[in-house]
Amino acid sequence: MPVTDHRRHRLAAAAGTLLLALAVAGCSGLGRTAVGPVTYTTERDIVIMMNSPSVRGCHRLAPAGAKEVTNGTLIDIILYRTRDCTGPGTTYVATTVSDVTGTGTLPWRSFSTVH
């Protein structure tokens, strides 16, 4: 009966591989987030917190923008002066670090994550 045992092992390995593939496919469909808050202060000194933003896409800040941004997430972010995460003058903000706009500069208006 060695042939039957060999077939059982092969069938068990194939079933295990299939289950693993299904588990990975199921998890990859979940929305991944940058665990933790991105906190920012507007020009009017209003503090806004975005908790665990998605790692995908462009995230808009308040319409007036932000003068200070603190990245409390586990993923680095890039700040933009435009509402659509494009253009020059970006700033890289590592995890658990803050950035403040300089006097006379435009506010931050959006951010994206680095992943």
Side-chain angles (χ1 to χ4, degrees):
M1 294 210 205
V3 172
T4 306
D5 287 341
H6 180 66
R7 285 184 182 162
R8 282 186 194 160
H9 288 295
R10 208 170 7 164
L11 183 59
T17 302
L18 178 62
L19 286 174
L20 180 60
L22 289 173
V24 169
C27 290
S28 67
L30 298 175
R32 291 182 34 204
T33 63
V35 177
V38 172
T39 307
Y40 63 95
T41 306
T42 67
E43 294 292 325
R44 295 182 181 171
D45 292 323
I46 298 171
V47 177
I48 299 172
M49 180 186 298
M50 298 174 70
N51 197 23
S52 298
S54 171
V55 296
R56 295 183 180 186
C58 179
H59 302 279
R60 290 183 174 180
L61 302 178
K67 63 180 183 179
E68 180 178 352
V69 178
T70 301
N71 180 11
T73 71
L74 300 178
I75 298 177
D76 299 346
I77 63 173
I78 298 174
L79 298 173
Y80 299 87
R81 299 199 187 276
T82 62
R83 307 261 304 141
D84 61 355
C85 295
T86 62
T90 62
T91 296
Y92 189 96
V93 182
T95 183
T96 69
V97 175
S98 296
D99 186 74
V100 178
T101 59
T103 304
T105 61
L106 294 172
W108 302 118
R109 296 192 185 275
S110 62
F111 73 93
S112 62
T113 61
V114 178
H115 64 287

